Amino acid sequence: MVPSIVNPRSPPPSQFRLQVKKRSSLAQLPSPTSDTLHLSSMHKADAHARSRIITSIFSPFLSEISSATSEDAIFGEPGDCDIGCRHTTPSSEQTSNVPHAEFGHCTNQNYRFVSQYNPEMPVTEPAVEEPPYYIVLTTYLSYLLFIGFGHIGDFFGKRFAPSSFTHLMPYDGYAPLNSDLDSMYTRRCKRRIDDCFSQPITGVAGRTTLIYDRYSEDYNHTQIYPGTTTRMLNVASYNYLGFSQSRGGCADAVEESIKRYGVSACGTRLEGGTCDLHRIAEELIARFIGTEDALISSMGFATNSTIIPALVGRGCLVISDECCHMSVRTGVRQSNAHVRIFKHNNMDSLERLLREVISQGQPKIHRPWKKILVTVEGLYSMEGTVVNLPKIIELKKKYKFYLFIDEAHSIGALGPRGRGVTDYFNVSSSSVDVLMGTFAKFFGAAGGYIAGPKPFIDSLRMHGHSGTYAEAMTPPVLIHIIACIAGIMGVSSVPVPPICENTFQSVTRQLSTDGKLMPSMACERLHPGMLPASALPTWLSLPPSLSDGSEARERLRRLAFNARYLRAGLEKLGFITSGHPSSPVVPVLVFNPGKMATFSRMMRTRKPTPIIVVVVAYPATPLISGRVRFCMCASHTKKDIDVVLKACDEVGDLLDIKHGKGKRWPIEEILKRSIELVHSI
C-alpha cells in the first residue's frame, strides 16, 4: 500500500477518547502464554473504537506482546455526556498504560549484540557515498529558486502589503527587526515545513509515543490543535536504553523520592546548597565513569557552556572538531581562548594543526600557549560517527595537550558495559582529562556531568559557573539517575573491598600557570565492578532484575542489535547513510529539502503504523546535506525495525532517494537474514 502525503492544511481529525479500566484481580490479567489471543483482542477493540468515530486514529502494530501488566488500556467509544461537552485529551497516565507503548517484549536471544571494538581491525572512518550529480544540481537549483522567488515576494510585499512586512521595514524611527536575507530561510522555507519539527507529545517517548494532532490553514504561520492524539512508532527520541518509563524500578524509586523529598526542595541540606542525593549521585557517576570525582549540573547545554570557560582563558588554545556541538562552541567563545578547527574526525588534519600551532605559538607574540585543549565528541549526533579515540590518545601522548570528550550521546549507548567510548575501545578513562556527558539520553533524566581527577573537579567547583549560579537538580531527577546507574552497574550484596572501590597508582600533578589544577600524567584505575549497597540511599529498593544488572545488560545488547540491523538494512535497500555501525543514531541523506519534508509527512501518515522520525536541515547540517535521523532504542523489537525498513523501502522508491552504489537486496531477504546482516558490518 502506497502512503499518501498529508498537507499541513488538511482538515482536523475527529475527537476521540481513551478509556482505562483497572482489573479487579490478578486472575483477570492476560497470561504471557496467551499473547496471540491478547493481541487479537486488542486489535478487535481498536477496530471497534475506530468504527465508532468519524475519522480513523491510527494505532501502530504492537509486535510481540509484553509481560502482563496490572492495567490495560482499551480504545473505547466516547463516554456519555451532555450536548456541547468537549472531548478532552486523555491524561499521560491513561495513555502510558497501553501495552508495548514503552518497552517492547523480545525474548529471542539471537537479536542481541555486544557493542565492542575489535582490536584486530583498524579504526577507520566509514566513507560517505557521493550522490549522483543530478541530485546535487537539483538540490542547489531548488535553493536558488526559493531564494529568488523569496526576494521577489519580499519586494512586492513591502509595497503592496506593508502590514505583513513590518518586521523587515523601518517603523516609527526603529530599525527593522530582521534582515531580508538573514531571515529568508526561516520565513520562506523552514516555516512551511514546521509541521515536521518539534512534534508535541504526551506521555512517555518510549517505543511508541502519542503525538498531538495539529494542522495549519496558512502554511504553518499558525497551527491549530484539535485536541486529539495519534499513537506512532517512535524512532525520533534519544531514550537509548529505554529507562525513561512511567513504570518499573526507576519510576517506583522516583515516586518514593517525591514522598520523602518533595518535587523541588531537597530535604537534608548540606553545604553549598546541595543535599545528600547530590553527593550520592556525584560519587556514583565517578564510579560509573571510572574517574576520581564528578560534578553534576542541572542542564546539559550549560555543562559545556559554563565549564569550558573555567578550563581555558586568554593565552590558551582550543582545537575543536568542526562538528562539535553548539554548547562547546558557546563555552569556547565565552572563555576568550583562541580557537582552531580541524576536519571532522580526521586525525591527519588534527596532527598537522597541532604541529603548526605548537611551532608558531600565540599569534603576534609567538609565545608558547599556556594550555592546549582538544575538544571532540564521543558520538556525533548529526553524523552518527564515533571519535577515533585510540589515535587521539596516541597524539595526546606525543604532543602533550589536554583532551575534552563530550559523551552526551555515547555514554550508555556504546561499550559492553555502557560506559561510552572509553569502554567501547577498552581505553582507561584516566587517559582522558575531561569526560563530559548528559543525563537526558541514556539516563532518561535531565542535566549533565563533568568527570575527571579530584583536584581538577574541586577546582571546577570553585571556578565553574554551573555549580555556583545554576539551579540545583531536583530530588526526583537525582534519584532517577541513581537508580539507572545502580541498574546498569548492579548492586553487590557482599561488601566491596576498598581496593576495588578506588584504586589508583601514584600520580604526580602540577599546578598550571593560571592556578587551575590539571593532571600532568594519566593515572590507571581498575575498572569499576558492582556497586556496594552502602553507596545507595538506605531507603532505595530496586527490583532484582535491576539490582543484579541483568536488565541493563539486556538493554545494552538489544540497543546494539537494533542499531546495526537498521543501518545494515537501510544500506542494503540502497540508501546513503553515514556514521559508525554501532551508533544508535542512523542518518539517511535525503539532500533535497522538499523530499526531506515529504519523507517525514509520508512516514507520519502511513497506515496502519504511523512512524515519527527526525528531519535535520540547514543550518544544523551543510546546505545540501539534509537528512532523516533514525534514533534506535533498546525498547524497539526486531519487528519494529522491520516495519521501519518496509516503510523506508516504499517511500524511498517514491521519492527517488536510494542513491547508494552497493549491492541491493529485496526487503524480504533483508528481514529474513537480519542476524547475518548485523554480524557482517
Side-chain angles (χ1 to χ4, degrees):
M1 179 172 54
V2 178
S4 60
I5 302 175
V6 172
N7 191 286
R9 301 181 64 183
S10 59
S14 302
Q15 305 284 349
F16 83 111
R17 173 176 296 178
L18 282 178
Q19 295 180 347
V20 179
K21 297 183 179 180
K22 295 187 176 181
R23 300 184 180 269
S24 57
S25 66
L26 294 177
Q28 295 175 325
L29 290 175
S31 171
T33 59
S34 60
D35 290 346
T36 305
L37 296 177
H38 183 56
L39 179 60
S40 176
S41 64
M42 287 295 299
H43 280 302
K44 290 180 180 179
D46 189 24
H48 174 71
R50 288 198 301 267
S51 66
R52 299 299 298 265
I53 58 179
I54 299 176
T55 303
S56 296
I57 300 298
F58 306 137
S59 176
F61 175 75
L62 306 178
S63 63
E64 299 190 36
I65 259 316
S66 61
S67 302
T69 57
S70 59
E71 297 176 346
D72 283 336
I74 300 177
F75 290 82
E77 57 196 66
D80 297 330
C81 61
D82 297 333
I83 296 176
C85 74
R86 303 178 64 182
H87 296 158
T88 58
T89 302
S91 66
S92 60
E93 181 179 357
Q94 290 173 313
T95 57
S96 66
N97 288 330
V98 179
H100 325 285
E102 296 178 6
F103 202 89
H105 181 70
C106 177
T107 59
N108 191 336
Q109 292 299 314
N110 292 324
Y111 302 147
R112 305 288 190 271
F113 194 84
V114 178
S115 172
Q116 188 170 13
Y117 166 66
N118 183 1
E120 297 180 357
M121 300 291 293
V123 182
T124 57
E125 181 66 20
V128 180
E129 295 184 38
E130 295 293 335
Y133 285 115
Y134 79 92
I135 293 295
V136 178
L137 292 176
T138 54
T139 302
Y140 276 119
L141 180 61
S142 65
Y143 278 107
L144 289 174
L145 289 175
F146 120 75
I147 293 175
F149 282 105
H151 280 298
I152 294 174
D154 289 347
F155 177 81
F156 288 101
K158 291 178 182 178
R159 287 156 178 79
F160 298 101
S163 59
S164 301
F165 292 84
T166 55
H167 59 293
L168 300 177
M169 303 167 60
Y171 178 76
D172 195 21
Y174 290 95
L177 289 176
N178 300 106
S179 165
D180 293 18
L181 184 60
D182 292 345
S183 61
M184 176 67 67
Y185 179 83
T186 303
R187 293 182 294 109
R188 297 292 184 179
C189 183
K190 166 68 166 53
R191 182 180 294 168
R192 289 176 177 262
I193 59 176
D194 263 346
D195 58 301
C196 301
F197 301 100
S198 304
Q199 296 288 342
I201 71 171
T202 176
V204 175
R207 172 186 174 224
T208 67
T209 188
L210 276 173
I211 305 293
Y212 278 107
D213 298 320
R214 57 180 178 175
Y215 67 99
S216 178
E217 297 178 344
D218 52 8
Y219 298 103
N220 287 316
H221 283 263
T222 59
Q223 293 179 343
I224 301 172
Y225 291 80
T228 59
T229 59
T230 301
R231 182 166 291 281
M232 301 186 185
L233 183 62
N234 179 24
V235 287
S237 297
Y238 291 146
N239 184 21
Y240 293 138
L241 290 187
F243 276 126
S244 179
Q245 296 180 223
S246 61
R247 57 165 55 121
C250 294
D252 294 340
V254 170
E255 182 179 357
E256 181 64 23
S257 73
I258 294 176
K259 297 177 182 178
R260 292 174 175 268
Y261 293 89
V263 177
S264 59
C266 288
T268 307
R269 304 293 297 185
L270 297 178
E271 68 280 359
T274 61
C275 71
D276 58 338
L277 294 183
H278 288 84
R279 175 183 53 79
I280 294 173
E282 289 181 343
E283 291 178 355
L284 293 185
I285 283 292
R287 285 177 178 270
F288 178 67
I289 302 299
T291 58
E292 292 186 54
D293 201 358
L295 172 66
I296 60 176
S297 175
S298 58
M299 181 179 177
F301 189 98
T303 306
N304 278 335
S305 59
T306 61
I307 289 298
I308 291 180
L311 296 176
V312 292
R314 293 187 183 276
C316 298
L317 173 67
V318 176
I319 301 178
S320 177
D321 189 289
E322 64 180 354
C323 292
C324 275
H325 194 262
M326 180 56 67
S327 59
V328 176
R329 301 186 182 194
T330 302
V332 173
R333 291 193 188 108
Q334 294 175 349
S335 68
N336 292 321
H338 196 74
V339 186
R340 296 293 299 271
I341 306 296
F342 67 94
K343 294 181 180 180
H344 173 58
N345 227 5
N346 190 319
M347 297 300 103
D348 292 334
S349 174
L350 173 59
E351 185 168 14
R352 286 195 301 268
L353 184 56
L354 284 168
R355 289 174 178 268
E356 176 188 343
V357 296
I358 292 175
S359 63
Q360 296 296 323
Q362 300 183 40
K364 296 182 180 180
I365 60 176
H366 298 291
R367 293 180 181 175
W369 298 100
K370 295 180 180 179
K371 192 183 302 177
I372 298 179
L373 179 69
V374 174
T375 61
V376 294
E377 293 188 27
L379 173 61
Y380 294 86
S381 59
M382 292 298 170
E383 291 73 24
T385 51
V386 174
V387 65
N388 189 344
L389 185 59
K391 182 62 177 180
I392 287 190
I393 296 297
E394 179 183 335
L395 294 177
K396 181 177 182 292
K397 295 177 180 178
K398 183 177 180 180
Y399 293 100
K400 310 302 180 184
F401 56 80
Y402 296 110
L403 180 58
F404 181 105
I405 299 182
D406 181 345
E407 290 208 272
H409 290 268
S410 58
I411 191 69
L414 294 178
R417 292 168 290 269
R419 288 166 170 87
V421 290
T422 57
D423 188 23
Y424 177 80
F425 288 107
N426 196 24
V427 173
S428 173
S429 57
S430 59
S431 301
V432 182
D433 300 297
V434 189
L435 285 164
M436 175 269 171
T438 63
F439 302 122
K441 280 79 175 178
F442 151 60
F443 296 92
Y449 68 85
I450 291 286
K454 182 172 177 54
F456 162 69
I457 297 298
D458 289 341
S459 177
L460 290 183
R461 296 185 197 277
M462 299 297 296
H463 299 91
H465 295 167
S466 63
T468 307
Y469 300 108
E471 296 180 351
M473 297 177 69
T474 59
V477 175
L478 288 169
I479 202 62
H480 183 83
I481 295 169
I482 292 172
C484 289
I485 296 176
I488 197 170
M489 294 185 69
V491 182
S492 175
S493 57
V494 180
V496 179
I499 189 172
C500 296
E501 292 185 8
N502 192 2
T503 303
F504 289 89
Q505 292 182 354
S506 60
V507 59
T508 60
R509 290 183 174 84
Q510 61 181 6
L511 186 65
S512 61
T513 56
D514 54 356
K516 300 180 179 63
L517 287 169
M518 301 290 289
S520 61
M521 59 180 295
C523 59
E524 299 292 331
R525 180 174 186 177
L526 295 180
H527 200 285
M530 300 183 71
L531 286 174
S534 59
L536 301 177
T538 55
W539 54 268
L540 180 60
S541 177
L542 297 176
S545 60
L546 267 181
S547 60
D548 63 9
S550 59
E551 179 179 334
R553 286 192 295 271
E554 279 292 291
R555 291 175 184 248
L556 287 167
R557 296 173 63 206
R558 284 183 58 169
L559 174 62
F561 178 89
N562 293 344
R564 295 175 72 91
Y565 175 39
L566 179 64
R567 180 180 299 276
L570 290 171
E571 291 176 353
K572 288 300 182 181
L573 286 174
F575 291 96
I576 297 180
T577 64
S578 68
H580 194 274
S582 295
S583 168
V585 179
V586 185
V588 174
L589 297 179
V590 181
F591 304 104
N592 192 290
K595 292 182 179 181
M596 179 188 66
T598 306
F599 187 99
S600 174
R601 291 167 182 163
M602 293 180 73
M603 297 290 279
R604 197 170 65 237
T605 57
R606 282 184 58 82
K607 296 180 181 180
T609 310
I611 303 172
I612 187 70
V613 300
V614 178
V615 293
V616 187
Y618 177 84
T621 64
L623 189 65
I624 67 166
S625 296
R627 64 198 62 186
V628 178
R629 285 191 308 163
F630 297 92
C631 301
M632 285 290 95
C633 300
S635 56
H636 293 125
T637 65
K638 192 264 183 184
K639 288 188 177 180
D640 294 335
I641 305 176
D642 292 346
V643 171
V644 175
L645 290 174
K646 291 178 182 178
C648 291
D649 185 39
E650 296 177 6
V651 177
D653 287 333
L654 290 173
L655 298 182
D656 186 28
I657 54 178
K658 295 182 177 180
H659 306 302
K661 300 177 182 178
K663 182 181 178 181
R664 300 186 184 183
W665 291 6
I667 183 64
E668 295 79 10
E669 186 174 1
I670 293 174
L671 305 185
K672 183 179 179 180
R673 300 171 61 181
S674 59
I675 299 175
E676 177 185 342
L677 281 176
V678 167
H679 291 272
S680 65
I681 62 174

